[in-house]
Amino acid sequence: MIEALEAIVADPAGAVVGLDFDGTLAPIVPDPEAARIHPAGPGALARLGGLVGSLVVVTGRPAATAVEYGSLAAVPGLVVLGHYGLERWEGGELSSPPPHPGLTAVRAELPALVAGIAGVRIEDKGRAVAVHTRRTAAPQAALDALAGPVAALAAETGLAVEPGKFVLELRPPGTDKGLALSGFLRERSARSVLFAGDDLGDLAAFEAVRTCGLPGVTVFSGSAELSVAADVVVDGPAGVVELLDAISDAIIARRS
């Protein structure tokens, strides 16, 4: 891990720094639409983005939403891979394939499926639909009760289920953060990589870092809700911002 961080600092032009959004750059909040990046996040990203080869946000959110909620449009050179890599935002331009046809049936059937549990919230992401149980009286019990029915609905409609912290997301199969990150590393001819995340959906990206054959660092944005093995554990989005600033400081110090 120390060697990988040293590789990033010694050769920043070859480094790819990847980050999740919710729970990593933005604190987790009960209402996903109220999520916003840590106040110091845009500045830390802009500073680091001017020093490393590539800066990429890999998120389950729509790319445009992450750009808006993260004030990311002003970060030079930043790429946002939304919907686990299905969408790409770069230089103000958004590209994406057509939505999966199974989402129409999910939108029609899901409200009745969750109606018996008070406090469940359905979030329509356009290319995915998420079921949140954080606002229920017993979030984990609600999640467990819905796991089977949601999985059955996903199977009927040709979608995959991505579990997270009090959330089940139905999305197109064959996409995950690991595949998105791996493709980006190849595209940028990366020579080192760091990825920071906080949830189960980030495990595929962590595995991509570990198996890509490059000096790599995995960073877990810690919380009381989940424990994940990683090279570095920081205290939520504030800790992520501090780490990004520390890497920028080290790169600048190396140059002087």
Side-chain angles (χ1 to χ4, degrees), residues 9-160:
V9 171
D11 178 23
V16 168
V17 175
L19 306 115
D20 172 45
F21 186 74
D22 291 280
T24 302
L25 289 173
I28 295 292
V29 292
D31 181 359
E33 295 181 3
R36 294 296 184 272
I37 194 169
H38 185 281
L45 290 171
R47 185 176 181 227
L48 185 61
L51 297 170
V52 298
S54 299
L55 198 59
V56 60
V57 171
V58 188
T59 176
R61 283 190 182 271
T65 300
V67 171
E68 177 188 353
Y69 290 3
S71 302
L72 301 179
V75 178
L78 178 72
V79 176
V80 179
L81 303 179
H83 285 305
Y84 300 89
L86 279 176
E87 291 186 341
R88 180 175 180 133
W89 180 95
E90 184 175 7
E93 299 292 329
L94 181 68
S95 58
S96 59
H100 190 284
L103 291 168
T104 300
V106 165
R107 293 186 180 100
E109 298 179 30
L110 200 54
L113 188 150
V114 305
I117 305 178
V120 172
R121 183 180 183 279
I122 297 174
E123 180 189 9
D124 192 333
K125 299 184 175 183
R127 298 177 190 279
V129 178
V131 178
H132 296 268
T133 65
R134 187 176 294 275
R135 288 181 166 181
T136 64
Q140 187 60 53
L143 194 75
D144 294 341
L146 290 171
V150 168
L153 179 58
E156 292 171 7
T157 54
L159 296 169

Side-chain angles (χ1 to χ4, degrees), residues 5 11-12 33 53 61 69 84 100 111 131 141-142 150 153 155 166 175 182 200 218 232 243 250 254-255:
L5 283 172
D11 178 23
E33 295 181 3
R61 283 190 182 271
Y69 290 3
Y84 300 89
H100 190 284
V131 178
V150 168
L153 179 58
F166 305 133
T175 59
S182 296
L200 297 176
T218 56
V232 178
L243 177 62
R254 177 68 64 93
R255 290 179 174 179

Side-chain angles (χ1 to χ4, degrees), residues 140 143 162-169 199-201 226:
Q140 187 60 53
L143 194 75
E162 179 69 41
K165 291 185 286 191
F166 305 133
V167 61
L168 298 166
E169 183 170 304
D199 206 346
L200 297 176
L226 185 67

Side-chain angles (χ1 to χ4, degrees), residues 169-193:
E169 183 170 304
L170 295 95
R171 58 178 176 81
T175 59
D176 64 42
K177 292 183 180 181
L179 293 172
L181 181 62
S182 296
F184 192 78
L185 294 176
R186 291 191 296 270
E187 172 195 319
R188 297 301 171 104
S189 300
R191 296 187 291 273
S192 62
V193 57

